Amino acid sequence: MGGGHMGWFLLCSSLLFFAVIASSGSLANLPIIAFEDGYTPLFGDHNLAIHRDGKSVHLSLDERTGSGFVSHDLYFHGYFSASIKLPSDYTAGVVVAFYMSNGDMFQKNHDEIDFEFLGNIRGKDWRVQTNVYGNGSTNIGREERCGLWFDPAEDFHQYSILWTDSKIVFFVDDVPIREVIRTESMGGDFPTKPMTLYATIWDASDWATNGGKYRVNYKYAPYVAEFSDLVLHGCAVDPIEHVTKCDSSAQDSEGVPFGISPVQRTKMGNFRLKHMTYSYCYDTVRYKVPPPECVIKPQEAERLRKFDPITFGNGRRHRGKRHHRSRGSQEEAASSF
């Protein structure tokens, strides 16, 4: 199938897929699959353990290796989700990732949509980093980091990615924490090629915690991340023919959000004002002029400027009272949004 025809076929299939999904803020009716129906082990040997129910899996990191799993299929748009419980105690240098990528197929112009969970020293909270790359745009970091209103090591919480032709939304439980709208100015920097879903745990000592100041301490190993409630709800793509395999059962499922409801949008705004600790759009050190897709919101700008006046202000260190909190530290948890 030619490139132009393939792109048109994928676009039409994707539009059909989402046209029949009703907008919903409820996650109660999502189609949960067994691990072996949707995924296969990626690396780690015995550091990946599937539960007897076949629907839950443990990924662990020790001195030998990390571990991970990968979806059987490529997907072109959809809704992808997992309930995750992160390791506890000292987790500096540890990264747990739940993400989409086609880097194995497009090494120089790959797409990627990331949830990355960054560990921390004892007494400091996990941080959540989201990122988006399109067409190999790794020279433009589109990172955002935030804290959470709960301890993600105490219990399972749902982390979800909605990817359509026009937007990407990251959800934590039913709260959208970030929305990336496709704009003409982004050009090819918006993910447009079929991707595979991955989950991994690995040693990122060189950068994950305070720029590598705190490293993984294997005295606390194994570090175990638990995954359950796995959802792969999208247009599957044949890796050879690049033909979608959407069917009516996938299209007619209820409970899959198509976008963000008005109530959820309010929650997202409140979340970002209380818990966001970094956004590339406001980083005046990296970008003298924000990338063209950025929409600058005065309240977010002021919140980040107060949090870190060097990164988000005029780039000059102020005299007087020092700011001891790191960029990734979390403010006090809010009871509601």
Side-chain angles (χ1 to χ4, degrees), residues 125-323:
D125 298 309
W126 280 87
R127 293 146 301 149
V128 179
Q129 177 166 287
T130 58
N131 210 342
V132 173
Y133 297 122
N135 202 33
S137 59
T138 54
N139 61 318
I140 302 177
R142 289 184 167 86
E143 305 100 322
E144 285 195 352
R145 282 190 292 277
C146 60
L148 294 168
W149 64 97
F150 54 82
D151 181 352
E154 283 189 351
D155 206 349
F156 286 91
H157 291 269
Q158 203 78 17
Y159 303 90
S160 310
I161 296 169
L162 172 66
W163 173 37
T164 77
D165 183 58
S166 61
K167 71 184 68 173
I168 295 165
V169 185
F170 297 88
F171 293 87
V172 177
D173 293 332
D174 66 341
V175 178
I177 65 169
R178 181 182 182 185
E179 180 183 38
V180 179
I181 300 293
R182 184 179 188 177
T183 64
E184 185 176 348
S185 62
M186 292 183 76
D189 288 0
F190 189 90
T192 57
K193 298 184 291 295
M195 289 189 279
T196 306
L197 201 73
Y198 296 84
T200 58
I201 185 171
W202 54 291
D203 184 331
S205 291
D206 290 343
W207 65 271
T209 309
N210 284 41
K213 180 179 179 180
Y214 301 104
R215 306 180 66 83
V216 173
N217 187 337
Y218 286 104
K219 179 177 72 173
Y220 301 98
Y223 298 96
V224 180
E226 303 176 55
F227 289 76
S228 65
D229 298 340
L230 303 171
V231 174
L232 286 170
H233 193 85
C235 285
V237 177
D238 184 283
I240 305 299
E241 299 294 334
H242 282 207
V243 175
T244 60
K245 296 184 285 187
C246 291
D247 56 34
S248 59
S249 62
Q251 295 169 11
D252 295 336
S253 297
E254 298 178 355
V256 180
F258 178 58
I260 301 176
S261 70
V263 171
Q264 287 178 315
R265 191 163 295 281
T266 298
K267 290 183 177 182
M268 180 171 68
N270 290 338
F271 171 87
R272 292 172 68 81
L273 288 177
K274 293 174 182 177
H275 298 290
M276 186 168 67
T277 58
Y278 178 83
S279 172
Y280 76 104
C281 284
Y282 302 94
D283 189 335
T284 57
V285 176
R286 290 173 66 186
Y287 303 111
K288 302 304 179 185
V289 177
E293 76 274 7
C294 289
V295 177
I296 302 301
K297 299 181 179 180
Q299 284 185 304
E300 290 184 358
E302 180 62 19
R303 181 262 191 280
L304 290 175
R305 202 159 32 238
K306 289 181 178 179
F307 182 78
D308 185 343
I310 298 172
T311 302
F312 305 111
N314 57 18
R316 292 180 294 181
R317 188 176 298 277
H318 296 269
R319 294 182 179 179
K321 185 177 180 180
R322 293 186 177 182
H323 294 263

